[in-house]
Amino acid sequence: MSRKPDHNGHTDTTSLENFLRPIVEQFGCDLEAADIAPAGRRRLLRVLVDRDGGISLDDVAEVTRAISKALDADDIMGEGAYTLEVSSPGVDRPLTLPRHWRRNRDRLVTVTLTAGDKLTGRIKSVSEEAAELDVDGTRRSVAYADVAKAKVQIEFNRAAGNDEPETPADGTVEEN
C-alpha cells in the first residue's frame, strides 16, 4: 500500500497516523490524533500527543523535532507546503478510551449514557471495561460501552490533587 499523497496532495489520515505512531511512541507518548486541514495556500498538520502523567512543553518540543525530521525524510506529505503543529489534547478532549479515563483519575466528569441519562461524578478507579465514579457520595460503575459522551469538568476552586474538603477561611472545621 502506498503512503504517497493522491494527485491532489491529500494524505489519508490512517496512513499518516501509522507513519507518526512509532515516532511518537519513541518518547513514551500516545498518538491521540493527526489531522490535516487547509490553511490558505498551505496545509496545517495537527498532531495531538499525550501520556500518563501528562506531557510538558519540553516533551512536545522533542516530539515535534522528531516528527519534523521524519516528515522531511519522507514524501508522505507530498510536495505542498504545510505547517506542523504538535500539542497535547487539552482538558476539553472527550474521554473515549480507557487511557483517557485513567489519565483523569480524581477529576470531575460529566457523562451522558447511551440510554440518555446524565451524571456527574469524580473518577475513582479505572479498568479496561469501566470506570468507577463517586456520584454525590455513592460509587457508581460506568461501562465504557454505555457511554455516549464524557468530558472532564474544569474546576477553578479545587486545588490540583486535593481530595480533602477545604477548611473554611475562619479556621472552623465541619465534622460529618
Side-chain angles (χ1 to χ4, degrees):
M1 178 174 148
S2 172
R3 289 187 324 209
K4 288 188 175 189
D6 66 21
H7 65 281
N8 294 321
H10 297 113
T11 303
D12 77 286
T13 305
T14 302
S15 295
L16 185 59
E17 287 179 352
N18 289 337
F19 176 79
L20 295 172
R21 187 168 287 108
I23 299 163
V24 170
E25 288 175 349
Q26 292 177 79
F27 298 91
C29 298
D30 293 308
L31 176 66
E32 295 294 343
D35 182 54
I36 303 172
R41 294 182 181 183
R42 305 174 73 93
R43 293 170 291 157
L44 175 61
L45 170 56
R46 282 194 181 111
V47 179
L48 299 180
V49 297
D50 201 4
R51 73 168 153 223
D52 289 358
I55 188 163
S56 72
L57 289 176
D58 289 339
D59 297 331
V60 169
E62 273 189 279
V63 172
T64 301
R65 282 190 291 274
I67 290 173
S68 181
K69 184 176 178 181
L71 290 172
D72 288 347
D74 196 281
D75 65 350
I76 192 164
M77 289 297 292
E79 298 297 320
Y82 65 91
T83 301
L84 172 62
E85 178 183 291
V86 178
S87 65
S88 64
V91 72
D92 61 342
R93 173 216 15 226
L95 306 178
T96 58
L97 298 170
R99 71 175 180 245
H100 300 158
W101 291 80
R102 182 181 68 242
R103 289 175 181 158
N104 285 287
R105 202 170 145 262
D106 294 325
R107 303 284 304 267
L108 190 66
V109 295
T110 298
V111 179
T112 304
L113 300 172
T114 54
D117 300 348
K118 281 191 175 186
L119 55 108
T120 300
R122 194 163 304 283
I123 302 171
K124 289 305 193 181
S125 64
V126 177
S127 72
E128 288 299 310
E129 295 81 34
E132 188 171 294
L133 306 181
D134 179 336
V135 180
D136 296 324
T138 304
R139 295 275 178 140
R140 173 139 181 214
S141 182
V142 177
Y144 305 132
D146 296 335
V147 174
K149 181 179 174 184
K151 289 187 90 169
V152 171
Q153 298 302 299
I154 298 172
E155 297 178 88
F156 292 108
N157 60 350
R158 181 172 182 265
N162 183 6
D163 289 331
E164 298 301 315
E166 291 185 29
T167 302
D170 65 4
T172 61
V173 178
E174 293 181 23
E175 292 184 10
N176 292 334

